[in-house]
Amino acid sequence: MAKTLLVLAATLAAAPLAAQTAPQSPTPSRPAPSAAEPAPEDWHDIPDDEILLIQLASGKQVAIRLAARFAPAHVANIRKLAAARWWDGESVYRVQENWVAQWGDPTEKKPLPPEILTRPPAEFEIGAFTPAQRLSKPDSYAAATGVTADGWPIASDGKAAWLSHCYGMVGVARDSLPDTGSGSELFTPIGQSARRLDRNYTVVGRIVEGMQYLSALPRSDAAMGVYATAAERTGIAWVRLASQLPPDERPHFQVRATDNARYAAMMALRENPAPPTIATGLNVCDLPAAIRRRP
Amino acid sequence: MAKTLLVLAATLAAAPLAAQTAPQSPTPSRPAPSAAEPAPEDWHDIPDDEILLIQLASGKQVAIRLAARFAPAHVANIRKLAAARWWDGESVYRVQENWVAQWGDPTEKKPLPPEILTRPPAEFEIGAFTPAQRLSKPDSYAAATGVTADGWPIASDGKAAWLSHCYGMVGVARDSLPDTGSGSELFTPIGQSARRLDRNYTVVGRIVEGMQYLSALPRSDAAMGVYATAAERTGIAWVRLASQLPPDERPHFQVRATDNARYAAMMALRENPAPPTIATGLNVCDLPAAIRRRP
């Protein structure tokens, strides 16, 4: 086994060797790892009409959880676009290094179906900030951050709240004016989180499976990362809600509820790693999405 | 032109249309964009022995700026490893989605040259925190963050300071014990910043060119993202310091000095975007590396 990083992205793996050999300073705030395990009842099904599937021409599939509750006008458009098969045959046409992958119609000439609201109101912010779990410190972009009971990363200035543009979140591309994004052109941050888009773009979802089929696409050197030629684009075979597929072809996902002591213990473990690791903090974008396929 | 995001990753491009049509509220703290332009004297040459080049078997090249001042023992090892051609014929053997790309010898069996310090002291932290520019707010991982006069992202708890594991920074992989990383196995964060590694891993540099040749590599689904087969690895043709190449083959890089009003104005512009964009903040990892090829 190669020398590898101890700290895993998606797990709470401790360092067995270090635990045996390093000085053990008492860390009373550190819960037992078993206390952070989800209980069976913590897993809740995500409705089939809140899962948007992108089937790439390569045969790979990307699954997006839609934030139907926080961006209802845009999600309504997205559902209609999928029903109209509007994205079928379109492409991922923009991949900009350390910024975003973006997909839809690169020509902007394809007519939208008549049932689409072409200029829905901006849904940059949502109502009151009532996270199920709150992080202990403010961060660079918000006075308060946390996670909703159903797992969405959220931030607030004390008045308004908004979903955070973390890695893998899905936003609505638009022109200069706030209400010019229909939801037909979507993007996801593929590098450093794109938090400076917070409150300025509508967040409609999060990629919960297949992110690597967007994040590992070749970058474009052209302006804003828009591929200079059609040949560079990644084709999209089709886009559908899971609920628009035959029942036996639907993938089913579950999200872990955060409004319980087990999730709080998971956060505390991350904020208080086992010695000799030094605790440095926890950011809202480092909270795991906590999504799984339904067993 | 496709509908695209207004906010660019690497520029301060304002939104012309919005500037013409949106209400203009006075923002006295927002400097004129011209005040944020670097002066010719702000660009300083990076010494050839602080640039490490990785020539991939594909012909693509990655350039790393070495943090010689902050991790002297590890950088000394890295220079000797390059001189000994130790990495030639090795590979990028680990690419884990939203975590790191890592390179070196996947077998851990290749002997290190005798002149290498096999267990250099951990260089996780550095001395006093004296940033040339400081960010206005603490972040999730540090009481204070900022940038050194020569452009390194830095964080502090008020006592110790450390380089931040931002996207594209280069760290030393190791086993469990802090002093087990020689510098022969290196990694770079390819997704969300890896700030929870701060103070726990030695940072030896930052990728200043060619990051896309690591960040867009196929992800491994195997444990910790270590490719399960040799065929998946990306070959390394050679690794050298620029100073170890013939003079006419060396790329030359410059870094923008930050200890001046122009850099401060650039930061202020980023923290106070033009209306109608809402100011949300600025994180140390969103400060541009401000490196260019020598004109």
Side-chain angles (χ1 to χ4, degrees):
Chain A
M1 178 64 178
K3 256 192 194 67
T4 41
L5 296 174
L6 291 175
V7 186
L8 293 172
T11 76
L12 291 165
L17 182 58
Q20 289 158 21
T21 58
Q24 295 290 308
S25 57
T27 50
S29 58
R30 184 173 162 79
S34 59
E37 289 299 312
E41 65 267 27
D42 292 348
W43 292 102
H44 297 284
D45 289 350
I46 298 174
D48 290 350
D49 67 351
E50 292 183 7
I51 295 293
L52 187 73
L53 302 167
I54 303 177
Q55 183 76 15
L56 299 174
S58 61
K60 302 296 187 182
Q61 193 173 88
V62 178
I64 297 168
R65 180 189 186 198
L66 295 173
R69 186 155 63 98
F70 299 117
H74 288 83
V75 169
N77 267 3
I78 287 168
R79 286 170 168 155
K80 290 173 187 166
L81 287 162
R85 310 196 166 195
W86 190 84
W87 282 294
D88 296 17
E90 294 299 338
S91 66
V92 183
Y93 59 80
R94 177 188 185 198
V95 184
Q96 186 169 5
E97 168 57 16
N98 193 15
W99 193 230
V100 296
Q102 185 169 321
W103 59 94
D105 163 36
T107 70
E108 274 206 309
K109 292 179 181 164
K110 186 173 183 175
L112 293 172
E115 64 272 27
I116 297 296
L117 204 56
T118 52
R119 296 185 64 161
E123 293 175 306
F124 301 166
E125 296 177 340
I126 56 181
F129 179 50
T130 51
Q133 302 291 344
R134 182 171 162 155
L135 292 169
S136 57
K137 288 185 288 189
D139 73 16
S140 303
Y141 295 96
T145 60
V147 61
T148 67
D150 57 347
W152 293 100
I154 198 165
S156 171
D157 66 355
K159 298 171 200 158
W162 56 90
L163 295 184
S164 294
H165 282 80
C166 300
Y167 182 94
M169 296 289 280
V170 176
V172 174
R174 61 171 171 86
D175 289 328
S176 302
L177 294 175
D179 64 349
T180 52
S182 67
S184 61
E185 312 303 312
L186 299 172
F187 69 86
T188 187
I190 59 169
Q192 193 70 39
S193 61
R195 295 285 299 283
R196 68 184 179 283
L197 301 183
D198 285 8
R199 315 179 72 176
N200 291 297
Y201 284 79
T202 298
V203 174
V204 291
R206 181 178 219 168
I207 293 173
V208 295
E209 197 174 271
M211 177 64 184
Q212 67 270 34
Y213 307 123
L214 298 175
S215 63
L217 291 176
R219 277 51 171 161
S220 167
D221 291 330
M224 300 181 77
V226 177
Y227 290 126
T229 63
E232 294 171 88
R233 298 175 193 151
T234 295
I236 292 175
W238 51 259
V239 176
R240 296 285 183 283
L241 295 173
S243 58
Q244 293 163 343
L245 296 180
D248 62 347
E249 293 177 17
R250 300 176 188 175
H252 296 285
F253 292 91
Q254 295 181 316
V255 61
R256 177 179 177 179
T258 73
D259 55 349
N260 55 71
R262 296 168 293 282
Y263 192 91
M266 183 277 290
M267 290 173 64
L269 276 177
R270 288 191 167 231
E271 285 197 301
N272 300 281
T277 299
I278 295 174
T280 51
L282 183 60
N283 184 269
V284 64
C285 287
D286 289 330
L287 286 172
I291 304 277
R292 68 174 188 186
R293 287 271 186 149
R294 190 170 77 192
Chain B
M1 181 67 178
K3 253 190 197 67
T4 40
L5 296 174
L6 291 177
V7 186
L8 292 173
T11 75
L12 291 164
L17 182 58
Q20 289 157 21
T21 58
Q24 294 291 309
S25 56
T27 51
S29 58
R30 183 174 162 78
S34 60
E37 289 299 312
E41 65 267 26
D42 291 348
W43 292 104
H44 297 282
D45 288 352
I46 298 174
D48 290 351
D49 68 350
E50 292 182 9
I51 295 292
L52 187 73
L53 301 167
I54 304 176
Q55 184 76 14
L56 298 174
S58 62
K60 301 296 187 184
Q61 193 173 88
V62 178
I64 297 169
R65 180 189 185 196
L66 294 174
R69 187 155 62 98
F70 298 118
H74 288 82
V75 168
N77 267 3
I78 287 168
R79 286 170 168 155
K80 290 172 186 167
L81 287 162
R85 309 196 167 196
W86 190 83
W87 282 295
D88 295 17
E90 295 299 338
S91 65
V92 184
Y93 58 80
R94 177 188 184 199
V95 184
Q96 185 170 5
E97 167 57 16
N98 193 15
W99 193 230
V100 296
Q102 184 170 322
W103 60 94
D105 163 36
T107 71
E108 272 205 312
K109 291 177 183 165
K110 185 172 184 174
L112 292 172
E115 65 272 27
I116 296 297
L117 203 57
T118 52
R119 295 185 65 161
E123 294 175 306
F124 301 165
E125 295 177 342
I126 57 180
F129 179 51
T130 52
Q133 302 291 343
R134 183 172 162 154
L135 292 168
S136 56
K137 288 184 288 188
D139 74 15
S140 303
Y141 296 97
T145 60
V147 62
T148 68
D150 57 348
W152 293 101
I154 197 165
S156 170
D157 65 355
K159 299 171 201 160
W162 57 89
L163 295 183
S164 295
H165 281 80
C166 300
Y167 181 94
M169 297 289 280
V170 176
V172 174
R174 60 171 171 86
D175 290 327
S176 303
L177 293 176
D179 64 350
T180 52
S182 67
S184 61
E185 312 302 312
L186 299 172
F187 68 86
T188 188
I190 59 168
Q192 193 70 40
S193 61
R195 294 286 299 283
R196 69 183 179 283
L197 301 183
D198 285 7
R199 315 179 72 175
N200 292 297
Y201 284 79
T202 297
V203 174
V204 291
R206 182 178 217 167
I207 293 173
V208 295
E209 196 174 273
M211 177 65 184
Q212 66 270 33
Y213 306 124
L214 298 175
S215 63
L217 291 176
R219 277 51 172 162
S220 167
D221 291 331
M224 300 181 77
V226 177
Y227 289 127
T229 64
E232 295 171 88
R233 297 175 193 150
T234 296
I236 292 175
W238 51 260
V239 176
R240 297 285 181 282
L241 294 173
S243 57
Q244 293 163 346
L245 296 180
D248 62 347
E249 293 176 17
R250 300 176 188 174
H252 296 285
F253 292 91
Q254 296 181 316
V255 61
R256 178 180 177 178
T258 73
D259 54 350
N260 55 71
R262 295 167 294 281
Y263 193 92
M266 183 277 291
M267 290 173 65
L269 277 176
R270 289 192 167 230
E271 284 197 299
N272 300 282
T277 299
I278 295 174
T280 50
L282 183 60
N283 184 269
V284 64
C285 287
D286 289 331
L287 286 173
I291 304 278
R292 69 174 187 184
R293 288 270 187 150
R294 191 170 75 191

